[in-house]
Amino acid sequence: MIKKQQKWVALLVTLTFMGLLQVSTMPCEAAAANTTEQISAANTEQGPRFIEEEGNSGVVGKKKSILPIVLIGVGVVAVAAVLFLVVLKTSYDIVGTWSETDTIWTEGATTIIFSGDKASGTLTLAEFDDTGTYTVDGKNVHFEFSIAGYTYKWVFDGAFDEKDKMSGTVQYLNNNAVVDTGTWTATRTSGSAGSGKLPMATRSARKLQ
């Protein structure tokens, strides 16, 4: 969704910029038409009037000549702003392996593997069979996981503190009711998925009833 919005914004700015450039040529065409009319008037023996109009036309032309420069400047600034926003939106990449700890789970760090792209994808846990999904919007992060056959779910919201570090708040739910809340942090690692996975519920600090 974010990538599509970025493409539409970039296209809109490009079309606007082209439109401004086209408009910037209008004063030149108008000046040329005005000059033709003045020459025609001179041929009908209106010399003084022609000289007066020619002088006025020169003044107007000087005032309008700065318009193309202004429009080009506005277009450059607009394009630069769009490029900056696109880079800002895509500078954080969650894909990879992370070590997560929180104040609800009391049995050490959990290894989470995010697979997909910078905006969305799926996740798995190295030590457990739980799976889930994630979304990233700029610096903001949301991910959650659970497992079929159980009624619990872990929900994480937070943001990137830096390229390889995230933090935020976490909720532990059972039957869609919040059982506990806490905070979490995660750092990027180079670890890989382990073996002998078990449902997280079998070792959870919050035993299912």
Side-chain angles (χ1 to χ4, degrees):
M1 182 62 71
I2 295 175
K3 291 184 177 179
K4 290 183 179 179
Q5 292 176 348
Q6 291 172 353
K7 290 180 180 179
W8 280 112
V9 171
L11 178 60
L12 178 61
V13 170
T14 302
L15 294 176
T16 302
F17 182 47
M18 294 176 62
L20 290 174
L21 288 178
Q22 184 175 4
V23 171
S24 68
T25 63
M26 293 176 62
C28 297
E29 295 175 356
N34 191 28
T35 301
T36 303
E37 292 178 358
Q38 291 169 355
I39 293 175
S40 177
N43 293 334
T44 57
E45 298 182 354
Q46 295 182 4
R49 182 179 177 184
F50 170 77
I51 295 173
E52 180 181 356
E53 291 180 352
E54 179 67 21
N56 293 336
S57 176
V59 174
V60 173
K62 290 181 180 179
K63 291 182 178 179
K64 291 183 177 180
S65 63
I66 196 173
L67 182 60
I69 298 176
V70 173
L71 294 176
I72 292 174
V74 171
V76 170
V77 171
V79 172
V82 170
L83 291 177
F84 175 77
L85 290 175
V86 170
V87 171
L88 182 64
K89 282 283 188 180
T90 59
S91 60
Y92 295 98
D93 190 356
I94 197 174
V95 175
T97 303
W98 296 72
S99 178
E100 181 272 330
T101 59
D102 58 69
T103 57
I104 299 177
W105 177 259
T106 60
E107 300 183 28
T110 302
T111 302
I112 305 177
I113 303 97
F114 296 93
S115 304
D117 56 35
K118 293 181 179 181
S120 62
T122 60
L123 65 87
T124 57
L125 307 186
E127 300 90 351
F128 312 102
D129 282 329
D130 302 61
T131 59
T133 59
Y134 71 85
T135 57
V136 178
D137 183 7
K139 294 179 63 175
N140 298 321
V141 176
H142 172 88
F143 60 95
E144 55 187 63
F145 54 78
S146 59
I147 189 170
Y150 293 84
T151 58
Y152 72 88
K153 180 169 65 174
W154 294 76
V155 180
F156 297 77
D157 287 289
F160 280 87
D161 299 313
E162 54 189 65
K163 182 179 178 181
D164 297 319
K165 185 177 180 180
M166 304 182 293
S167 63
T169 59
V170 55
Q171 292 182 323
Y172 178 80
L173 294 82
N174 192 4
N175 289 316
N176 294 321
V178 176
V179 177
D180 202 353
T181 60
T183 59
W184 63 275
T185 59
T187 55
R188 193 187 303 273
T189 71
S190 57
S192 58
S195 58
K197 297 181 179 180
L198 295 172
M200 194 170 191
T202 62
R203 304 186 209 172
S204 175
R206 293 289 177 181
K207 297 295 184 180
L208 298 180
Q209 301 298 325

